[in-house]
Amino acid sequence: MTPIALDPVRVAAWRSTWDAMMTGFIPGLAGLERALGTAVEALRGGPPRRVLDLGGGPGLLAERMAARWPEATVTLVDLDPVLLELARAGLPDVIGVVGADLASTAWTARAGGGHDLITAVMTVHYLSPAAIHALYAAAREALAPGGVLVVADLMPDDGLPGLMRVLDPGPGEAAAELAWARWWSELSAVPEIGGLMDARAALFRDRPPAGFTAGLSWHAAAARTAGFGEAGALWREGRHAALAACR
Ligand SMILES: C[S@@+](CC[C@H](N)C(=O)[O-])C[C@H]1O[C@@H](n2cnc3c(N)ncnc32)[C@H](O)[C@@H]1O
């Protein structure tokens, strides 16, 4: 695809609105990021050196991890060409950006191995249960010994696998849904982004809608089946929780 030049001021504004939107979707997002940073440093006895963020979107978490751990190499993986472009344009020379589909395990070849930390925030609900199992196994292989996988998503306490829409939404979620629709509609009106929007539509056209959700115990069991020694809760706020699994 032909490289495009985006106005850095607009890119910063779009990324900032995305951040606000995700804060609406995930109650206590800042607390999750604090818990993640503290737990990873404690588990590893220091900062991670290689960090991979799966489904990192326009790179807000990746940016904050790069700021917290300035010596670390931080790489983001995503499929969406629009979000990949915002990550590249918003964080030149700060993080590595890799386009790959997490629904197949081919992403590991592109993202490399030896990572000390792999994160996936609000990403795995886009995948089928079988693809999540495969992702956990591939993530384990991509981690260095002692490395940590952190997966945060909708994980109701003891819910059975099912569809998100049957669960009660959090208080800020309706507003976040509206903000999401508005954000995408604003971007589709930007001429320079038109080609990426078309590519995005083609990529997501035949995928099932994002909606798989399962309890934290389901994710912990999936991580153990994938070969992780320890897997348990790192953080919880309402329906949202984070799993930490150690290689
Ligand atoms: C709700 S967004 C969360 C983005 C980011 N983690 C955050 O918290 O801001 C879900 C992300 O998963 C990505 N995604 C969904 N399905 C994917 C797939 N099959 N492969 C790679 N990325 C995928 C989307 O493009 C999007 O960036």
Side-chain angles (χ1 to χ4, degrees):
M1 191 164 290
T2 322
I4 56 168
L6 293 175
D7 171 7
V9 175
R10 298 184 82 190
V11 169
W14 290 323
R15 293 182 69 249
S16 163
T17 312
W18 175 280
D19 202 16
M21 207 157 70
M22 291 312 295
T23 305
F25 276 120
I26 311 173
L29 176 60
L32 161 63
E33 292 186 5
R34 267 196 307 278
L36 189 164
T38 308
V40 168
E41 286 163 10
L43 282 165
R44 293 195 34 75
R49 285 155 305 179
R50 278 173 65 75
V51 177
L52 190 61
D53 186 27
L54 301 178
L60 279 308
L61 172 62
E63 180 176 19
R64 288 194 279 264
M65 292 196 291
R68 178 170 182 136
W69 299 309
E71 305 299 319
T73 302
V74 179
T75 306
L76 173 156
V77 176
D78 208 286
L79 174 68
D80 188 318
V82 176
L83 301 179
L84 286 166
E85 190 55 39
L86 293 188
R88 283 191 197 101
L91 302 167
D93 308 323
V94 179
I95 61 164
V97 177
V98 171
D101 187 353
L102 298 170
S104 116
T105 52
W107 63 267
T108 50
R110 311 214 45 212
H115 299 283
D116 303 308
L117 169 64
I118 298 182
T119 52
V121 175
M122 286 297 273
T123 298
V124 297
H125 68 268
Y126 281 80
L127 303 176
S128 67
I132 297 173
H133 275 283
L135 180 86
Y136 289 177
R140 186 183 174 280
E141 289 306 305
L143 280 168
V148 185
L149 169 69
V150 174
V151 178
D153 219 298
L154 279 161
M155 295 183 188
D157 247 347
D158 49 4
L160 295 170
L163 289 176
M164 263 188 225
R165 62 172 176 270
V166 303
L167 303 167
D168 291 337
E173 217 168 288
E177 291 283 0
L178 268 178
W180 175 272
R182 208 175 304 124
W183 191 87
W184 282 106
S185 145
E186 188 186 325
L187 258 79
S188 7
V190 178
E192 308 91 283
I193 296 186
L196 296 177
M197 282 303 233
D198 293 343
R200 172 178 202 267
L203 268 171
F204 282 95
R205 186 171 300 130
D206 297 325
R207 282 166 196 269
F212 177 75
T213 194
L216 194 127
S217 54
W218 184 92
H219 286 277
R224 283 190 211 102
T225 303
F228 283 93
E230 287 179 56
L234 169 74
W235 167 89
R236 170 170 294 285
E237 175 117 12
R239 305 188 300 160
H240 290 256
L243 167 87
C246 303
R247 177 172 174 176

